[in-house]
Amino acid sequence: MGHVPELIIDLALILGAAAVMTILFKMLRQPVVLGYIIAGVLVGPYFNFFPTVVESEGIKTWAEIGVIFLLFGLGLEFSFKKLLKVGNVAVITSLMGVGMTFLIGYNVGLIMGWEMMDSLFMGGILSIASTTIIFRAFDELGVKNQKFAGIVLGALIIEDLVAVVLMVILSTVAVSRKFEGVEMIYSIGKLLFFLILWFVSGIFFLPTLFKFLKKYLTDETLLVLSLSLCFLMVVLSAQAGFSPALGAFIMGSILAETPKVEKIEHLVQSVKDLFGAIFFVSVGMLLDPDMLVEYALPIAISTVVLLIGKPIFATIGALFAGQPIKVAVQTGMSLSQIGEFSFIIATLGVTLNVTSDFLYPVAVAVSVITTFTTPYMIGFSGRMSDWVTLKMPEKWKNRLYKYSLGTQQVTEASDWKKLIRFYLINTVIFSVVIISIILLADRFLAPFFEESQWKDLFIVSLTLLLIVPFLYALAFRRGPSQIYASIWTRPLYRGPLLALIISRIALAIFFVGFVFAKYYSPLAALIGVLVTTLFFVTQRHRIKRFYGRIESRFLLNLHERERAKEKNYLAPWDSHLTTFTLDARSPIIGLPLSTMKLRETFGINIVIIERGDVTINIPRQENVLYPNDVISVIGTDEQLTAFKNHITIAETKIESKADSSQVGLHSFSIPEGSNLIGQTMRHSKIREMCHGIVVGLEREDERIVNPDPDMAFEADDVIWIVGSNKRIQVYLRDILKNA
C-alpha cells in the first residue's frame, strides 16, 4: 500500500471541512467566507475535537497561492477604465471613510499600548471595506439599482486602489521600521511608474496577442495562458520590490480591459474558488480562542469603530460631495465591514514578521462580526436616515439642501483646464515609456554588443530609434484640435500655451541629451541633440505616421472590449433612415448632441434636423434639439425602436420637408497609395470634406460599427459613411485620382 504524503491528507481534511461548511452556510443564507473561516477553526491546532492539520507550512504555501488567485479575481473585476468613470462623490466618500478610519484604528492601537507597526497595520485592516460581502448583501436586499448603491460601488473601486497603495506603504514602513517622507514618496512614485508601464504595455500587447492566437485559444489554452500571465506578473512585481499579490491584481486589471475578460473570469472562477477556500480556511486555522478572549476589548473597540465610526466618516464625506441626507447615511452605513483586503493586509504583516501574534486573530474576529451585521446595517440605513433628518435642526437641513443643489449643478471644465489635463497625462505616460526603454536598452541590449568596439554607438542608435515616436508624441502632440485652436485665438492664454509647448520640447531634448551623456561626454550630448533635431525635422512626417499607427493600435486595444459588446453585424449594412418629430416632453429636448451619447447608447446617428424653414444636414456636436424639431435618424430596426422608446415621442405624421435624397449611406474601399492610409478618422477631416458621419468600417472579416475616431485607416478598408450625396461623390473622385 502506497504512502500518502501528509500534505495530501491535510488538503483532504481542509476541503472536506470547507465543503460541509459551504453547504451549511448556504442553507443558513450566510456568506460562505464565514463558513470557510469556521472550518479552519475546526481543523486548526486550537480545536482538538476533529483531526487537525499537520503540515501547516505546506498549507501556508497553498494559502499564498490563494491570495494570488483572490487578487487576480479582484483585478478582473476592477478595470482602470471603471476607475476613470468613478465620480467625485465616490472619491470623496471613499477617501474620507478610509482616511479617518485608518487614523482612528492607528490611534486606538497606540492608546492600548501596541507597537507602532501593530497600530499601523490595524489602521490599514479596519479602513478597507469588503467588495464581496457588500455585493452579496446588495443582491439579497434588492437595492442594487438605488442611488446610494451606485455611490457605494464606486467607493469600493477607490478603496481597492487605496488598499494596493496601502500594501506598498506598509511594506516600506515594515522594512525601514519608521516613517521617512522621502522614502515614502519614492515608494509611491515607484508604484505609479510601474502601474503606468505595466498598464500601457499590457494594453498594447495583450489584446493583439489574443487576436493573433484567436484560432488556437481553446478554453484550456486561454486558462493556461491567463494564469501564466498572472504568475509572470507576480514574479515581476516581486522583482520590482512589491508584494506578489499586487502583481496578480495588476495583471487582472490589465486583462479586464480585453474582450476575453468574461471568458477568463469564467475559466478562472473554479480555480479561484478552490484556492480561495484554502486561503480562508488557513485564516481560520490561525484563530486562537484563548487569544480572542484575552483581546476581547480590542475586538469590541474595533467593531465599534467599523459599525459607528466609519459610517459617520463616510456619511460626512458623501454630504461634503453634495449628496442628500438620506443617500449619504445609506452610503455610510453600507461600508461598515472588512473582508478580503483586510485579511491580505493582515497576512502581509505576518509574512513580513512585523506584527504581533494577536493582530491576525483580532482582524479575523472583527471581520466575522461585521460580516454578520452588514445586511442589517444596510437594511436599517433607511430608517436611520429618517431619524437623522427628523432630529437635525431645520437650519442645518436648509443649508445642506442648498449646498447639495449647488454641488449638483453641472459645470463644464474650461478649455484651458482640459488642455492642461491632456498635457499632464501625455507628459507622464510618455516620460514613463521613454525612461523604461532607456533602462531596458541599457540592461538587455548592452550584452549583445559587449565585444564590439562600436558598442556605445549601437546602443545609443537603437535606443534613439525606439524612443523617437514617443519623443514626437511628448514634444509635438497637440491634443484636441478644437480646444487647442480655441485657446490659441485668445491672447491671454497664448503665452502660457507657448510655455507649455516649449517645456515639453525641452523635456524631449533632455531625454535625448541624457542618452548621449550616459555613454559619451557632455559635448557629444550637445552634438547628438543637434543631429537628432535635424533627423526630426527631415523625417517628421514619417515619425508622425509611425506614431499614429502605434497610438491607433493602443486605442483600438483599449476600446476593443466595448466594441465587441456593441458589435452588431446587421448595422450599418442594414441601416435605414427614419423620421421623428420631437415632443416638448422628450428627455433630449434642450440638450446638445455631445451630451446625449446616442451613438454609444443606441448605435444610431442623427443626420438631419429640420426646424421650421431651416434644415441642418449632418448636425455638429454642439447643435441643440428643440420642441417640434423633425429629426432624421439612421439605424437598424432594433436600434431605432430602442431610441423611440427612450425619447417617448410620436412618429411624425407629416412628411419631412427636407430632401432626404440629398443625404445617403455610401461605402468605398481605400485603395493602395491613398493619403488616408495611416491617418486617423479624426485627423483625416473626412467628416468636414464629406459633410458626413463614418458609421461603419470593414477590415478583412471584421465589421466595426461606429468606429473610434482615433482608429487609423488601412489599405483595403471599406468605409461606410452617411452624408451629402454630392460631396461624398466629389470626395470619392478625389481619392481615386490621388491613389
Side-chain angles (χ1 to χ4, degrees):
M1 185 171 178
H3 172 69
V4 179
E6 290 290 349
L7 182 61
I8 295 179
I9 297 173
D10 289 343
L11 191 59
L13 183 61
I14 286 174
L15 294 179
V20 171
M21 297 313 269
T22 299
I23 295 169
L24 179 60
F25 272 68
K26 285 282 187 183
M27 293 170 63
L28 295 174
R29 299 179 63 83
Q30 294 296 326
V32 175
V33 171
L34 294 181
Y36 291 148
I37 293 173
I38 293 174
V41 173
L42 295 178
V43 300
Y46 306 106
F47 196 88
N48 297 322
F49 188 75
F50 295 104
T52 58
V53 170
V54 176
E55 192 69 36
S56 58
E57 288 302 317
I59 298 303
K60 284 182 181 178
T61 303
W62 288 72
E64 288 176 10
I65 298 174
V67 172
I68 289 171
F69 277 108
L70 193 63
L71 267 294
F72 184 56
L74 286 171
L76 289 172
E77 297 169 3
F78 176 78
S79 172
F80 283 99
K81 275 194 285 191
K82 285 183 184 177
L83 181 64
L84 296 176
K85 294 176 184 176
V86 170
N88 293 334
V89 176
V91 173
I92 295 170
T93 302
S94 174
L95 294 182
M96 175 68 82
V98 170
M100 293 305 297
T101 306
F102 181 90
L103 288 176
I104 294 294
Y106 172 69
N107 282 288
V108 164
L110 292 181
I111 290 170
M112 299 190 70
W114 294 357
E115 296 289 335
M116 186 191 75
M117 293 308 303
D118 290 329
S119 302
L120 278 174
F121 273 82
M122 194 63 196
I125 287 167
L126 294 181
S127 60
I128 307 298
S130 171
T131 304
T132 305
I133 294 168
I134 292 176
F135 267 53
R136 179 184 173 87
F138 280 177
D139 278 335
E140 290 179 350
L141 296 172
V143 297
K144 221 170 184 179
N145 294 323
Q146 294 188 22
K147 183 178 181 180
F148 80 92
I151 298 173
V152 170
L153 297 179
L156 290 172
I157 292 173
I158 301 297
E159 290 200 9
D160 286 348
L161 188 63
V162 171
V164 170
V165 177
L166 257 181
M167 288 167 62
V168 174
I169 292 175
L170 291 173
S171 299
T172 304
V173 175
V175 172
S176 62
R177 298 292 181 130
K178 58 183 177 180
F179 278 113
E180 290 187 3
V182 175
E183 189 171 344
M184 201 68 60
I185 293 171
Y186 170 76
S187 297
I188 295 174
K190 181 181 171 184
L191 173 64
L192 292 175
F193 179 88
F194 280 104
L195 282 177
I196 293 170
L197 175 62
W198 288 334
F199 180 74
V200 170
S201 57
I203 292 300
F204 186 80
F205 290 110
L206 288 185
T208 304
L209 176 66
F210 286 149
K211 189 178 292 185
F212 178 74
L213 299 174
K214 184 177 180 180
K215 56 182 171 183
Y216 306 110
L217 287 182
T218 61
D219 288 357
E220 178 184 3
T221 307
L222 184 60
L223 174 63
V224 173
L225 178 59
S226 303
L227 294 184
S228 67
L229 290 170
C230 170
F231 281 94
L232 174 63
M233 187 59 78
V234 165
V235 174
L236 288 176
S237 178
Q239 292 278 337
F242 301 117
S243 163
L246 173 63
F249 181 82
I250 297 300
M251 181 49 69
S253 302
I254 294 170
L255 290 174
E257 310 298 347
T258 68
K260 297 290 184 183
V261 61
E262 286 84 5
K263 188 72 172 175
I264 293 170
E265 278 188 284
H266 173 72
L267 294 172
V268 171
Q269 187 66 44
S270 299
V271 185
K272 186 184 81 171
D273 290 343
L274 171 64
F275 285 99
I278 295 173
F279 168 70
F280 287 114
V281 171
S282 72
V283 168
M285 288 167 57
L286 294 175
L287 273 179
D288 183 353
D290 294 335
M291 196 169 284
L292 295 182
V293 173
E294 183 180 350
Y295 290 92
L297 181 60
I299 292 172
I301 294 175
S302 299
T303 302
V304 170
V305 169
L306 283 175
L307 296 182
I308 298 177
K310 188 169 183 181
I312 291 175
F313 301 138
T315 299
I316 292 172
L319 289 173
F320 272 140
Q323 293 306 298
I325 297 171
K326 182 174 183 178
V327 173
V329 172
Q330 289 177 309
T331 300
M333 293 184 68
S334 299
L335 295 167
S336 59
Q337 74 295 112
I338 58 175
E340 55 277 357
F341 260 121
S342 299
F343 291 145
I344 292 163
I345 291 173
T347 303
L348 182 65
V350 174
T351 304
L352 295 173
N353 199 26
V354 294
T355 54
S356 302
D357 294 339
F358 65 82
L359 191 63
Y360 199 102
V362 167
V364 176
V366 174
S367 174
V368 170
I369 295 170
T370 55
T371 297
F372 277 118
T373 60
T374 294
Y376 303 105
M377 292 287 286
I378 297 172
F380 185 65
S381 62
R383 280 177 286 174
M384 176 58 74
S385 65
D386 293 338
W387 182 83
V388 171
T389 305
L390 184 66
K391 296 295 181 181
M392 184 177 288
E394 201 65 34
K395 186 186 295 184
W396 289 19
K397 282 191 284 189
N398 290 334
R399 286 182 178 177
L400 284 173
Y401 178 72
K402 290 178 181 177
Y403 177 75
S404 177
L405 283 180
T407 56
Q408 291 182 35
Q409 291 178 354
V410 179
T411 56
E412 189 174 351
S414 68
D415 287 345
W416 179 247
K417 287 182 179 178
K418 290 177 182 177
L419 194 66
I420 289 287
R421 185 165 58 242
F422 170 83
Y423 278 177
L424 181 62
I425 294 172
N426 186 85
T427 301
V428 170
I429 290 177
F430 290 111
S431 295
V432 167
V433 172
I434 290 167
I435 292 169
S436 302
I437 292 174
I438 293 171
L439 294 175
L440 290 171
D442 180 61
R443 180 166 182 178
F444 295 105
L445 286 180
F448 288 100
F449 304 104
E450 200 66 48
E451 304 299 325
S452 174
Q453 60 178 339
W454 303 101
K455 169 189 167 185
D456 292 344
L457 180 61
F458 286 141
I459 296 174
V460 168
S461 302
L462 287 172
T463 302
L464 288 175
L465 283 174
L466 290 171
I467 67 174
V468 152
F470 305 108
L471 287 172
Y472 163 79
L474 175 64
F476 301 112
R477 194 163 174 260
R478 286 186 173 184
S481 55
Q482 289 183 345
I483 293 176
Y484 185 90
S486 171
I487 293 175
W488 185 255
T489 55
R490 303 178 202 171
L492 180 64
Y493 290 109
R494 193 172 294 173
L497 181 57
L498 279 171
L500 273 178
I501 295 170
I502 293 169
S503 64
R504 293 171 64 204
I505 294 173
L507 183 59
I509 291 172
F510 167 78
F511 283 128
V512 174
F514 176 80
V515 172
F516 278 98
K518 183 174 175 59
Y519 298 95
Y520 297 106
S521 64
L523 179 60
L526 178 61
I527 297 171
V529 167
L530 294 174
V531 172
T532 306
T533 303
L534 181 63
F535 177 76
F536 258 100
V537 172
T538 56
Q539 302 296 321
R540 181 175 177 179
H541 294 293
R542 289 187 179 180
I543 296 171
K544 181 180 178 180
R545 281 199 298 271
F546 182 65
Y547 169 74
R549 293 193 188 99
I550 294 174
E551 184 182 75
S552 175
R553 172 55 57 190
F554 178 81
L555 292 173
L556 279 174
N557 289 348
L558 184 63
H559 301 302
E560 190 171 3
R561 186 182 177 192
E562 287 82 356
R563 288 205 316 276
K565 287 183 178 179
E566 294 173 359
K567 196 176 288 184
N568 182 340
Y569 289 97
L570 295 176
W573 297 266
D574 283 352
S575 296
H576 59 92
L577 280 170
T578 298
T579 306
F580 300 98
T581 300
L582 294 182
D583 188 270
R585 297 164 298 173
S586 173
I588 62 175
I589 291 297
L591 297 175
L593 298 182
S594 59
T595 65
M596 297 183 201
K597 307 292 184 186
L598 299 178
R599 194 167 179 172
E600 294 85 348
T601 307
F602 302 101
I604 58 94
N605 291 280
I606 297 177
V607 295
I608 303 175
I609 300 175
E610 298 174 59
R611 187 172 298 145
D613 296 329
V614 177
T615 299
I616 306 172
N617 289 325
I618 315 300
R620 302 183 66 83
Q621 292 295 303
E622 60 267 20
N623 286 117
V624 177
L625 296 175
Y626 295 104
N628 299 317
D629 277 356
V630 179
I631 58 174
S632 296
V633 183
I634 186 167
T636 65
D637 290 337
E638 293 80 5
Q639 291 167 343
L640 292 169
T641 300
F643 175 65
K644 179 179 178 181
N645 293 336
H646 169 70
I647 60 176
T648 60
I649 58 174
E651 199 164 353
T652 182
K653 295 181 181 178
I654 59 171
E655 288 192 7
S656 169
K657 290 180 288 183
D659 184 3
S660 60
S661 65
Q662 294 180 3
V663 176
L665 177 65
H666 299 263
S667 67
F668 64 91
S669 177
I670 298 178
E672 290 284 351
S674 171
N675 292 332
L676 284 177
I677 296 173
Q679 291 194 54
T680 63
M681 277 178 269
R682 193 189 304 279
H683 294 111
S684 67
K685 306 295 182 185
I686 192 171
R687 177 190 175 103
E688 291 79 2
M689 287 187 269
C690 290
H691 204 185
I693 303 171
V694 176
V695 294
L697 183 146
E698 291 182 61
R699 180 173 292 166
E700 296 177 353
D701 296 329
E702 185 178 16
R703 290 182 170 185
I704 302 169
V705 179
N706 296 328
D708 193 294
D710 292 309
M711 184 176 183
F713 293 121
E714 296 179 5
D716 299 324
D717 280 353
V718 177
I719 308 299
W720 291 80
I721 185 169
V722 178
S724 165
N725 293 328
K726 290 182 179 178
R727 295 185 70 162
I728 290 177
Q729 288 169 5
V730 172
Y731 182 74
L732 292 181
R733 281 201 301 269
D734 292 340
I735 286 180
L736 294 174
K737 187 191 304 180
N738 296 327

